[in-house]
Each structure stands twice: as structure tokens, then as C-alpha cells.
Amino acid sequence: QIMEGSSISGVTLAADDTAENEEEDAGAADGAAAESPAAQFCNDWLTCVARATTGAFLTQVLRIPKLDNRGAQHLAADTGYLINVLRALDLPAHALLKHLRYLALAPKEELSSLLEGRLPTHSPAAAVVGKINRRFGAMRGIAVPFSE
């Protein structure tokens, strides 16, 4: 009852009063309609669930001990599926999720050259990406260069 007629990530929930829905749809088309507090709460909650799901997925992936070519293809498909679900919910996919899919799709030669390159270490984000790259290289059986 609280959320009837509310928009959750671009999906309008059914309401009993069709005239009220038509007014909301017209206002939304103009970009003038503001979201109700209930809809905003639902959108915020959905964003939190998506972030937690993404974090849990990345954590489990980085615990994989070894990954052959077929496993990498499967991981790329699973990652692409999660990205598509987030897109369908009108939520952004985290950059690390997209990067993981890139790593899973990359041939071993490309991964090797990526591991040989140096990322700037002054950025915490670059340090995380570097660690993920090295971990993924180790999962794929690529010799990982020693880092400080």
C-alpha cells in the first residue's frame, strides 16, 4: 500500500487510482515529478543489496584457486549475467565487476602483458586493481611478478 504508484528503478508499481497514475506518468515524462520517500527508500535499499551482492561475488571469485580457459569463460558469462541483472534494475555495475569480466575474457598473453605493466601505486584504487590483476593471473597459472 505504501509503494503503490511509486517508481522503483524505472518500474512503476500498480495503483488503484488510474487517474493518479496518469498524472504521475505525465509528470515523470516532463522530469518534474519527485520520487516519494518510499520509492527513494526502495531504490536506496536495492542499491545496497546490489553492492553487497557484487562484493560477495568478487570475494568468492578471488578465492578460486585455479581457473582454466573453460572456467574463465564460465566466469565471464556469470559476471556478464550479474552485470545484465544490474542493468535491468537500472543500477550501475561496479567498475571492478566490469574489470573482472575483462580479465576473464582476456587471452593469457594479454594477461601476461597486463601483469608486466606497472600501475600507479599512489592511488588506493590502483593498488586494489593491481592486486586483483595479480590474483587473477595466479588463478590462471601465469607467473606473477614480485611486487613490493
Side-chain angles (χ1 to χ4, degrees):
Q1 180 182 8
I2 292 173
M3 297 184 294
E4 287 181 348
S6 299
S7 173
I8 300 176
S9 296
V11 177
T12 302
L13 301 176
D16 295 334
D17 187 4
T18 55
E20 186 177 320
N21 276 350
E22 290 170 3
E23 289 175 9
E24 284 183 13
D25 290 343
D30 294 338
E35 284 191 345
S36 72
Q40 184 59 47
F41 172 81
C42 289
N43 285 333
D44 292 345
W45 178 82
L46 192 57
T47 299
C48 287
V49 169
R51 287 179 180 166
T53 302
T54 298
F57 180 79
L58 290 171
T59 299
Q60 291 303 312
V61 166
L62 294 176
R63 290 181 178 168
I64 297 172
K66 291 188 179 194
L67 197 62
D68 62 8
N69 288 337
R70 186 172 176 169
Q73 290 174 348
H74 190 97
L75 178 60
D78 289 346
T79 307
Y81 177 77
L82 180 55
I83 290 169
N84 286 336
V85 168
L86 294 173
R87 186 178 302 133
L89 293 171
D90 199 27
L91 297 170
H94 195 282
L96 288 177
L97 195 59
K98 293 177 183 178
H99 185 67
L100 178 67
R101 185 164 189 267
Y102 162 76
L103 292 174
L105 290 172
K108 279 189 168 185
E109 299 78 30
E110 189 173 335
L111 284 175
S112 293
S113 63
L114 179 68
L115 290 171
E116 290 170 6
R118 294 298 241 175
L119 291 172
T121 55
H122 62 277
S123 165
V128 169
V129 170
K131 287 180 181 181
I132 289 173
N133 290 350
R134 289 189 297 277
R135 176 68 193 115
F136 201 83
M139 289 166 45
R140 296 294 310 273
I142 298 170
V144 179
F146 179 75
S147 63
E148 298 83 44

